[in-house]
């Protein structure tokens, strides 16, 4: 039904919904002054008509992505006051177990996919939720709320384009309250006419008085039904005003008190309530009854929160990753051997995954018709079609966020980021959403997503395309990071990663794609949790991963000619680290050298060295040594690039320099 039927019951529900939000926010203000609620607190006073009007147009099956000012959205969506307030207290009975707080209300039961403290950060996520529903034939609409400040963010434009390109069922709701924190729209937007900006992406876009709840509902109903019917994304600007400070830390020196007072007169509650009373659609005693009902709910919620338990400190590390994971895969006895390349193994792994599981799809830049920058996906578009091999615009943040959203609703996306330096453009989505959503939601939502990216130097691609940034990702709780160095791992790690309930970063070194060798024809999934000893030795442990593994093995061969037997560990899993294998090996050999193509300062090798020395101090006969890249951006000339990177001779020299190693 696209029209608003403003009968008595519905009118009463709209008014109750707005009063409920207003009284809740007033109580939150009071509780904040009592230090019951801490951190940032962004109140929704003055904008109630937007949340209530849009929520009235939705069905329970529809999904909602919100902002850090999301209390109104959560309550309008059906969250109880007690659940929301307990979350803001930080109590275990909160909607996210107290782990999200005021800015991160999550509720799987009402399909609320959280507030987002990053301006514009929820836009790609909403695109992904809609993409997942679209690919699974679900008749749902995703609503994404965001403020006027988000229109200056790149994620806004990337998300608009991607949603329109794929005709996804998203309603983008701009809550234009005229200020992004303390920055007035008129001071930072060259053109404050926002609806045409969205319309330029080819989607229907309109503006409405955001303080008129009926107008908001009417527009939302029309646009939601259009999105549900397959007309693609829709855009609704709601012109409103927040009558409270940006947050409780805000001294409000950027706007005039008279301006605030004038807007208070236009309060959506006052406006709608007066209209109902003036036209005889409600009686004063009914309004009083609503007020009394809401006040009773608030009293009960506060009382419950005061008595609610805190999550015990012993549970600190819960919900960082899934509590249960699939068992390590069984490795079959090798079949006949076949010739192959690392690149072909990567392609075979993707092909097998897509044949095995219809939920698996891949998206990224130039992976379709072009066949991928490194030709890994060559031929896959023809085999699986454009729905499952999705060429994306050059918009890393948007399509990575879309992969996160699609994973949240049951798909198994493989996101390919062309090269590791481009991943920095998507780091917001990887760090702030993929890695944190399980924790912030109290375990309600997980992100079974695989992100593949090419990494490393050696091809004379100069400073901007030669990074080894694995330490960045290995630093982040909530991620799993792997680096396949062998044909078997290139063939088998993807299958295991796709079964993982948490996001997995797969780093494929550019110097390995052309590597040739033989592999069992029936090679399949491999363990991604454990390091592997690739060569046994007694005198020193060489710890390496990715392309550096082969340099370490070559160095071990050279050392063996002089009677120095080096054990070589292929780390494989960079997060979490396999401490058990490392400690056992170094405890035997009593010496260790870590080979790391990353820069020495703040490197993954530093973390490994620290762990080894902490665990093996009494076994060590020498300090842990490191062979790392020179502290320079990787140069273009071949001789300088070679000099900047760890080489076999450097590893041999590091081993020989260890006390007592020379036979």
């Amino acid at each position: 039904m696209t029209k608003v039927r403003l009968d008595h019951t519905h009118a009463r529900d709209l008014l109750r919904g707005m009063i409920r939000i207003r009284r809740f926010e007033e109580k939150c203000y009071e509780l904040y002054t009592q230090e019951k609620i801490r951190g940032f607190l962004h109140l929704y006073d003055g904008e109630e008509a937007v949340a209530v009007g849009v929520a009235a147009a939705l069905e329970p099956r529809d999904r909602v992505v919100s902002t850090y000012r999301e209390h109104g959205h959560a309550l309008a969506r059906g969250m109880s006051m007690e659940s929301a307030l307990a979350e803001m207290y930080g109590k275990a009975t909160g909607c996210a177990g107290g782990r999200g707080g005021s800015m991160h209300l999550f509720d799987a039961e009402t399909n609320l996919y959280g507030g987002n403290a990053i301006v514009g950060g929820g836009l790609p996520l909403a695109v992904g939720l809609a993409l997942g529903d679209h690919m699974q034939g679900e008749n749902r609409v995703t609503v994404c709320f965001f403020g006027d400040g988000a229109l200056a963010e790149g994620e806004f434009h990337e998300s608009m384009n991607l949603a329109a390109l794929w005709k996804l069922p998203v309603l983008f709701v701009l809550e234009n309250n005229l200020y992004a924190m303390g920055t007035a729209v008129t001071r930072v937007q060259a053109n404050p006419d926002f609806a045409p900006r969205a319309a330029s992406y080819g989607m229907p876009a309109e503006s409405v008085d955001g303080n008129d709840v009926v107008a908001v509902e009417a527009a939302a109903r029309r646009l939601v039904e259009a999105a549900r019917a397959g007309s693609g994304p829709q855009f609704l600007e709601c012109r409103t005003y927040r009558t409270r400070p940006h947050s409780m830390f805000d001294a409000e020196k950027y706007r005039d008190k008279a301006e605030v007072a004038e807007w208070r007169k236009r309060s959506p509650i006052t406006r709608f309530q007066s209209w109902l009373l003036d036209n005889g659609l409600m009686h004063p005693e009914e309004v009083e009854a609503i007020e009394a009902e809401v006040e009773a709910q608030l009293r009960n919620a506060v009382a419950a929160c005061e008595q609610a338990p805190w999550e015990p400190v012993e549970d600190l590390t819960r919900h960082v990753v899934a509590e249960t994971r699939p068992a390590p895969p069984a490795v079959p006895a090798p079949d006949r051997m076949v010739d192959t390349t690392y690149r072909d193994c990567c392609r075979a792994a993707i092909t097998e995954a897509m044949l095995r599981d219809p939920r698996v799809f891949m998206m990224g830049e130039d992976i379709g018709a072009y066949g991928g920058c490194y030709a890994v996906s060559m031929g896959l578009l023809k085999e699986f079609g454009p729905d499952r091999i999705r060429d994306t615009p050059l918009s890393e943040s948007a399509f990575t966020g879309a992969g996160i959203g699609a994973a949240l609703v049951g798909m198994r996306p493989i996101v390919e980021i062309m090269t590791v330096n481009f991943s920095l453009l998507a780091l917001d989505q990887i760090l702030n959403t993929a890695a944190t959503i399980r924790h912030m939601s109290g375990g309600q939502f997980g992100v079974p997503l695989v992100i593949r990216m090419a990494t490393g130097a050696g091809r004379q691609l100069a400073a901007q395309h030669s990074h080894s940034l694995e330490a960045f990702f290995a630093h982040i709780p909530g991620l799993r990071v792997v680096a396949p160095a062998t044909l078997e791992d290139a063939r088998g790690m993807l299958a295991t990663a796709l079964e993982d309930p948490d996001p997995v970063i797969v780093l494929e070194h550019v110097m390995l794609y052309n590597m040739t060798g033989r592999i069992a024809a029936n090679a399949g999934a491999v363990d991604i949790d454990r390091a592997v000893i690739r060569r046994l030795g007694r005198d020193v442990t060489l710890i390496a991963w990715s392309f550096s593994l082969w340099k370490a093995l070559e160095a071990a061969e050279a050392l063996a000619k002089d009677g120095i037997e080096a054990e070589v560990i292929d780390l494989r899993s960079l997060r979490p680290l396999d401490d058990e294998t490392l400690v056992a090996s170094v405890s035997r050999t009593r010496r260790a050298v870590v080979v790391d193509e990353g820069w020495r300062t703040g490197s993954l090798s530093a973390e490994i060295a620290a762990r080894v020395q902490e665990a093996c101090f009494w076994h060590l006969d020498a300090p842990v040594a490191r062979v790392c890249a020179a502290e320079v951006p990787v140069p273009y000339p071949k001789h300088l690039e070679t000099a900047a990177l760890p080489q076999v001779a450097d590893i041999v020299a590091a081993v020989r320099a260890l006390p007592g190693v020379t036979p």
Side-chain angles (χ1 to χ4, degrees), residues 14-34:
L14 293 177
L15 182 62
R16 182 200 289 113
M18 292 193 291
I19 290 174
R20 186 167 175 258
I21 293 170
R22 177 68 63 85
R23 298 295 176 262
F24 181 85
E25 297 292 69
E26 290 172 348
K27 178 57 69 173
C28 288
Y29 179 94
E30 176 188 331
L31 292 167
Y32 193 91
T33 63
Q34 299 170 5

PDB file of all heavy atoms in Angstrom, residues 14-34:
ATOM      1  N   LEU A  14       1.606   6.874  15.131  1.00  0.00           N
ATOM      2  CA  LEU A  14       2.635   7.823  14.704  1.00  0.00           C
ATOM      3  C   LEU A  14       2.996   8.776  15.839  1.00  0.00           C
ATOM      4  O   LEU A  14       4.176   9.027  16.106  1.00  0.00           O
ATOM      5  CB  LEU A  14       2.163   8.619  13.487  1.00  0.00           C
ATOM      6  CG  LEU A  14       1.984   7.848  12.175  1.00  0.00           C
ATOM      7  CD1 LEU A  14       1.436   8.763  11.091  1.00  0.00           C
ATOM      8  CD2 LEU A  14       3.307   7.235  11.712  1.00  0.00           C
ATOM      9  N   LEU A  15       1.992   9.301  16.510  1.00  0.00           N
ATOM     10  CA  LEU A  15       2.253  10.228  17.607  1.00  0.00           C
ATOM     11  C   LEU A  15       2.964   9.518  18.756  1.00  0.00           C
ATOM     12  O   LEU A  15       3.935  10.037  19.320  1.00  0.00           O
ATOM     13  CB  LEU A  15       0.942  10.857  18.093  1.00  0.00           C
ATOM     14  CG  LEU A  15       1.101  11.889  19.221  1.00  0.00           C
ATOM     15  CD1 LEU A  15       1.947  13.068  18.761  1.00  0.00           C
ATOM     16  CD2 LEU A  15      -0.267  12.357  19.716  1.00  0.00           C
ATOM     17  N   ARG A  16       2.487   8.322  19.103  1.00  0.00           N
ATOM     18  CA  ARG A  16       3.136   7.563  20.170  1.00  0.00           C
ATOM     19  C   ARG A  16       4.599   7.292  19.829  1.00  0.00           C
ATOM     20  O   ARG A  16       5.485   7.415  20.675  1.00  0.00           O
ATOM     21  CB  ARG A  16       2.419   6.246  20.418  1.00  0.00           C
ATOM     22  CG  ARG A  16       3.060   5.448  21.560  1.00  0.00           C
ATOM     23  CD  ARG A  16       2.721   3.984  21.553  1.00  0.00           C
ATOM     24  NE  ARG A  16       1.341   3.734  21.913  1.00  0.00           N
ATOM     25  CZ  ARG A  16       0.417   3.245  21.078  1.00  0.00           C
ATOM     26  NH1 ARG A  16       0.762   2.994  19.815  1.00  0.00           N
ATOM     27  NH2 ARG A  16      -0.815   3.024  21.472  1.00  0.00           N
ATOM     28  N   GLY A  17       4.857   6.921  18.586  1.00  0.00           N
ATOM     29  CA  GLY A  17       6.228   6.628  18.178  1.00  0.00           C
ATOM     30  C   GLY A  17       7.148   7.817  18.355  1.00  0.00           C
ATOM     31  O   GLY A  17       8.287   7.682  18.840  1.00  0.00           O
ATOM     32  N   MET A  18       6.676   9.002  17.997  1.00  0.00           N
ATOM     33  CA  MET A  18       7.517  10.194  18.136  1.00  0.00           C
ATOM     34  C   MET A  18       7.691  10.590  19.594  1.00  0.00           C
ATOM     35  O   MET A  18       8.796  10.963  20.019  1.00  0.00           O
ATOM     36  CB  MET A  18       6.920  11.345  17.317  1.00  0.00           C
ATOM     37  CG  MET A  18       6.998  11.123  15.811  1.00  0.00           C
ATOM     38  SD  MET A  18       6.647  12.615  14.853  1.00  0.00           S
ATOM     39  CE  MET A  18       4.894  12.824  15.186  1.00  0.00           C
ATOM     40  N   ILE A  19       6.616  10.515  20.371  1.00  0.00           N
ATOM     41  CA  ILE A  19       6.725  10.845  21.801  1.00  0.00           C
ATOM     42  C   ILE A  19       7.658   9.862  22.496  1.00  0.00           C
ATOM     43  O   ILE A  19       8.466  10.247  23.357  1.00  0.00           O
ATOM     44  CB  ILE A  19       5.328  10.846  22.453  1.00  0.00           C
ATOM     45  CG1 ILE A  19       4.506  12.044  21.946  1.00  0.00           C
ATOM     46  CG2 ILE A  19       5.433  10.887  23.974  1.00  0.00           C
ATOM     47  CD1 ILE A  19       3.068  12.053  22.424  1.00  0.00           C
ATOM     48  N   ARG A  20       7.549   8.618  22.126  1.00  0.00           N
ATOM     49  CA  ARG A  20       8.406   7.586  22.730  1.00  0.00           C
ATOM     50  C   ARG A  20       9.884   7.913  22.496  1.00  0.00           C
ATOM     51  O   ARG A  20      10.706   7.814  23.411  1.00  0.00           O
ATOM     52  CB  ARG A  20       8.044   6.240  22.111  1.00  0.00           C
ATOM     53  CG  ARG A  20       8.719   5.021  22.708  1.00  0.00           C
ATOM     54  CD  ARG A  20       8.028   3.769  22.216  1.00  0.00           C
ATOM     55  NE  ARG A  20       8.698   2.561  22.668  1.00  0.00           N
ATOM     56  CZ  ARG A  20       9.498   1.814  21.918  1.00  0.00           C
ATOM     57  NH1 ARG A  20       9.707   2.156  20.652  1.00  0.00           N
ATOM     58  NH2 ARG A  20      10.068   0.730  22.399  1.00  0.00           N
ATOM     59  N   ILE A  21      10.236   8.324  21.291  1.00  0.00           N
ATOM     60  CA  ILE A  21      11.620   8.685  20.993  1.00  0.00           C
ATOM     61  C   ILE A  21      12.034   9.924  21.786  1.00  0.00           C
ATOM     62  O   ILE A  21      13.107   9.959  22.393  1.00  0.00           O
ATOM     63  CB  ILE A  21      11.795   8.931  19.474  1.00  0.00           C
ATOM     64  CG1 ILE A  21      11.603   7.617  18.699  1.00  0.00           C
ATOM     65  CG2 ILE A  21      13.173   9.520  19.178  1.00  0.00           C
ATOM     66  CD1 ILE A  21      11.516   7.803  17.195  1.00  0.00           C
ATOM     67  N   ARG A  22      11.169  10.948  21.787  1.00  0.00           N
ATOM     68  CA  ARG A  22      11.517  12.190  22.467  1.00  0.00           C
ATOM     69  C   ARG A  22      11.750  11.966  23.963  1.00  0.00           C
ATOM     70  O   ARG A  22      12.728  12.445  24.534  1.00  0.00           O
ATOM     71  CB  ARG A  22      10.414  13.229  22.250  1.00  0.00           C
ATOM     72  CG  ARG A  22      10.616  14.554  22.981  1.00  0.00           C
ATOM     73  CD  ARG A  22      11.795  15.351  22.418  1.00  0.00           C
ATOM     74  NE  ARG A  22      11.577  15.730  21.035  1.00  0.00           N
ATOM     75  CZ  ARG A  22      10.907  16.813  20.625  1.00  0.00           C
ATOM     76  NH1 ARG A  22      10.368  17.636  21.513  1.00  0.00           N
ATOM     77  NH2 ARG A  22      10.772  17.072  19.334  1.00  0.00           N
ATOM     78  N   ARG A  23      10.851  11.244  24.604  1.00  0.00           N
ATOM     79  CA  ARG A  23      10.999  11.025  26.043  1.00  0.00           C
ATOM     80  C   ARG A  23      12.230  10.158  26.346  1.00  0.00           C
ATOM     81  O   ARG A  23      12.911  10.354  27.348  1.00  0.00           O
ATOM     82  CB  ARG A  23       9.735  10.381  26.621  1.00  0.00           C
ATOM     83  CG  ARG A  23       8.506  11.231  26.473  1.00  0.00           C
ATOM     84  CD  ARG A  23       8.597  12.526  27.286  1.00  0.00           C
ATOM     85  NE  ARG A  23       7.448  13.372  27.053  1.00  0.00           N
ATOM     86  CZ  ARG A  23       7.431  14.395  26.201  1.00  0.00           C
ATOM     87  NH1 ARG A  23       8.532  14.726  25.517  1.00  0.00           N
ATOM     88  NH2 ARG A  23       6.343  15.110  26.037  1.00  0.00           N
ATOM     89  N   PHE A  24      12.488   9.206  25.480  1.00  0.00           N
ATOM     90  CA  PHE A  24      13.674   8.368  25.654  1.00  0.00           C
ATOM     91  C   PHE A  24      14.934   9.228  25.590  1.00  0.00           C
ATOM     92  O   PHE A  24      15.842   9.092  26.433  1.00  0.00           O
ATOM     93  CB  PHE A  24      13.716   7.289  24.565  1.00  0.00           C
ATOM     94  CG  PHE A  24      14.883   6.349  24.662  1.00  0.00           C
ATOM     95  CD1 PHE A  24      14.841   5.235  25.482  1.00  0.00           C
ATOM     96  CD2 PHE A  24      16.037   6.582  23.923  1.00  0.00           C
ATOM     97  CE1 PHE A  24      15.923   4.371  25.570  1.00  0.00           C
ATOM     98  CE2 PHE A  24      17.124   5.724  23.999  1.00  0.00           C
ATOM     99  CZ  PHE A  24      17.072   4.619  24.825  1.00  0.00           C
ATOM    100  N   GLU A  25      15.007  10.123  24.626  1.00  0.00           N
ATOM    101  CA  GLU A  25      16.183  10.964  24.480  1.00  0.00           C
ATOM    102  C   GLU A  25      16.333  11.931  25.661  1.00  0.00           C
ATOM    103  O   GLU A  25      17.444  12.192  26.127  1.00  0.00           O
ATOM    104  CB  GLU A  25      16.115  11.742  23.157  1.00  0.00           C
ATOM    105  CG  GLU A  25      16.119  10.861  21.913  1.00  0.00           C
ATOM    106  CD  GLU A  25      17.429  10.141  21.688  1.00  0.00           C
ATOM    107  OE1 GLU A  25      17.750   9.217  22.490  1.00  0.00           O
ATOM    108  OE2 GLU A  25      18.134  10.471  20.734  1.00  0.00           O
ATOM    109  N   GLU A  26      15.226  12.452  26.126  1.00  0.00           N
ATOM    110  CA  GLU A  26      15.285  13.321  27.299  1.00  0.00           C
ATOM    111  C   GLU A  26      15.815  12.561  28.519  1.00  0.00           C
ATOM    112  O   GLU A  26      16.602  13.095  29.305  1.00  0.00           O
ATOM    113  CB  GLU A  26      13.896  13.905  27.585  1.00  0.00           C
ATOM    114  CG  GLU A  26      13.435  14.919  26.547  1.00  0.00           C
ATOM    115  CD  GLU A  26      11.989  15.344  26.733  1.00  0.00           C
ATOM    116  OE1 GLU A  26      11.258  14.689  27.518  1.00  0.00           O
ATOM    117  OE2 GLU A  26      11.585  16.331  26.095  1.00  0.00           O
ATOM    118  N   LYS A  27      15.384  11.320  28.667  1.00  0.00           N
ATOM    119  CA  LYS A  27      15.867  10.506  29.775  1.00  0.00           C
ATOM    120  C   LYS A  27      17.362  10.197  29.608  1.00  0.00           C
ATOM    121  O   LYS A  27      18.123  10.215  30.586  1.00  0.00           O
ATOM    122  CB  LYS A  27      15.064   9.213  29.880  1.00  0.00           C
ATOM    123  CG  LYS A  27      15.506   8.265  30.981  1.00  0.00           C
ATOM    124  CD  LYS A  27      15.483   8.921  32.364  1.00  0.00           C
ATOM    125  CE  LYS A  27      14.059   9.198  32.819  1.00  0.00           C
ATOM    126  NZ  LYS A  27      14.054   9.680  34.240  1.00  0.00           N
ATOM    127  N   CYS A  28      17.788   9.936  28.360  1.00  0.00           N
ATOM    128  CA  CYS A  28      19.207   9.680  28.111  1.00  0.00           C
ATOM    129  C   CYS A  28      20.044  10.902  28.474  1.00  0.00           C
ATOM    130  O   CYS A  28      21.144  10.775  29.035  1.00  0.00           O
ATOM    131  CB  CYS A  28      19.430   9.298  26.647  1.00  0.00           C
ATOM    132  SG  CYS A  28      18.824   7.654  26.231  1.00  0.00           S
ATOM    133  N   TYR A  29      19.544  12.083  28.159  1.00  0.00           N
ATOM    134  CA  TYR A  29      20.234  13.322  28.525  1.00  0.00           C
ATOM    135  C   TYR A  29      20.412  13.382  30.046  1.00  0.00           C
ATOM    136  O   TYR A  29      21.499  13.676  30.550  1.00  0.00           O
ATOM    137  CB  TYR A  29      19.429  14.521  28.025  1.00  0.00           C
ATOM    138  CG  TYR A  29      20.033  15.864  28.357  1.00  0.00           C
ATOM    139  CD1 TYR A  29      20.865  16.507  27.448  1.00  0.00           C
ATOM    140  CD2 TYR A  29      19.782  16.492  29.577  1.00  0.00           C
ATOM    141  CE1 TYR A  29      21.424  17.737  27.744  1.00  0.00           C
ATOM    142  CE2 TYR A  29      20.337  17.713  29.892  1.00  0.00           C
ATOM    143  CZ  TYR A  29      21.160  18.334  28.975  1.00  0.00           C
ATOM    144  OH  TYR A  29      21.720  19.546  29.277  1.00  0.00           O
ATOM    145  N   GLU A  30      19.356  13.095  30.744  1.00  0.00           N
ATOM    146  CA  GLU A  30      19.395  13.117  32.206  1.00  0.00           C
ATOM    147  C   GLU A  30      20.374  12.082  32.747  1.00  0.00           C
ATOM    148  O   GLU A  30      21.184  12.370  33.642  1.00  0.00           O
ATOM    149  CB  GLU A  30      17.990  12.861  32.748  1.00  0.00           C
ATOM    150  CG  GLU A  30      17.889  12.764  34.254  1.00  0.00           C
ATOM    151  CD  GLU A  30      16.506  12.326  34.708  1.00  0.00           C
ATOM    152  OE1 GLU A  30      15.513  12.625  33.998  1.00  0.00           O
ATOM    153  OE2 GLU A  30      16.412  11.663  35.761  1.00  0.00           O
ATOM    154  N   LEU A  31      20.329  10.881  32.201  1.00  0.00           N
ATOM    155  CA  LEU A  31      21.204   9.814  32.675  1.00  0.00           C
ATOM    156  C   LEU A  31      22.667  10.106  32.357  1.00  0.00           C
ATOM    157  O   LEU A  31      23.567   9.696  33.099  1.00  0.00           O
ATOM    158  CB  LEU A  31      20.780   8.483  32.061  1.00  0.00           C
ATOM    159  CG  LEU A  31      19.420   7.951  32.534  1.00  0.00           C
ATOM    160  CD1 LEU A  31      18.960   6.806  31.649  1.00  0.00           C
ATOM    161  CD2 LEU A  31      19.505   7.504  33.997  1.00  0.00           C
ATOM    162  N   TYR A  32      22.905  10.811  31.272  1.00  0.00           N
ATOM    163  CA  TYR A  32      24.278  11.171  30.924  1.00  0.00           C
ATOM    164  C   TYR A  32      24.852  12.134  31.958  1.00  0.00           C
ATOM    165  O   TYR A  32      26.014  12.012  32.355  1.00  0.00           O
ATOM    166  CB  TYR A  32      24.330  11.800  29.533  1.00  0.00           C
ATOM    167  CG  TYR A  32      25.715  11.911  28.971  1.00  0.00           C
ATOM    168  CD1 TYR A  32      26.259  10.888  28.200  1.00  0.00           C
ATOM    169  CD2 TYR A  32      26.508  13.031  29.217  1.00  0.00           C
ATOM    170  CE1 TYR A  32      27.543  10.980  27.685  1.00  0.00           C
ATOM    171  CE2 TYR A  32      27.792  13.127  28.719  1.00  0.00           C
ATOM    172  CZ  TYR A  32      28.303  12.101  27.950  1.00  0.00           C
ATOM    173  OH  TYR A  32      29.587  12.186  27.453  1.00  0.00           O
ATOM    174  N   THR A  33      24.040  13.090  32.393  1.00  0.00           N
ATOM    175  CA  THR A  33      24.511  14.044  33.408  1.00  0.00           C
ATOM    176  C   THR A  33      24.786  13.340  34.735  1.00  0.00           C
ATOM    177  O   THR A  33      25.553  13.839  35.557  1.00  0.00           O
ATOM    178  CB  THR A  33      23.488  15.175  33.625  1.00  0.00           C
ATOM    179  OG1 THR A  33      22.258  14.631  34.123  1.00  0.00           O
ATOM    180  CG2 THR A  33      23.230  15.926  32.323  1.00  0.00           C
ATOM    181  N   GLN A  34      24.159  12.175  34.929  1.00  0.00           N
ATOM    182  CA  GLN A  34      24.390  11.381  36.137  1.00  0.00           C
ATOM    183  C   GLN A  34      25.524  10.371  35.945  1.00  0.00           C
ATOM    184  O   GLN A  34      25.799   9.556  36.825  1.00  0.00           O
ATOM    185  CB  GLN A  34      23.108  10.644  36.529  1.00  0.00           C
ATOM    186  CG  GLN A  34      21.938  11.554  36.844  1.00  0.00           C
ATOM    187  CD  GLN A  34      20.634  10.780  36.999  1.00  0.00           C
ATOM    188  OE1 GLN A  34      20.605   9.547  36.960  1.00  0.00           O
ATOM    189  NE2 GLN A  34      19.546  11.507  37.172  1.00  0.00           N
TER     190      GLN A  34
END
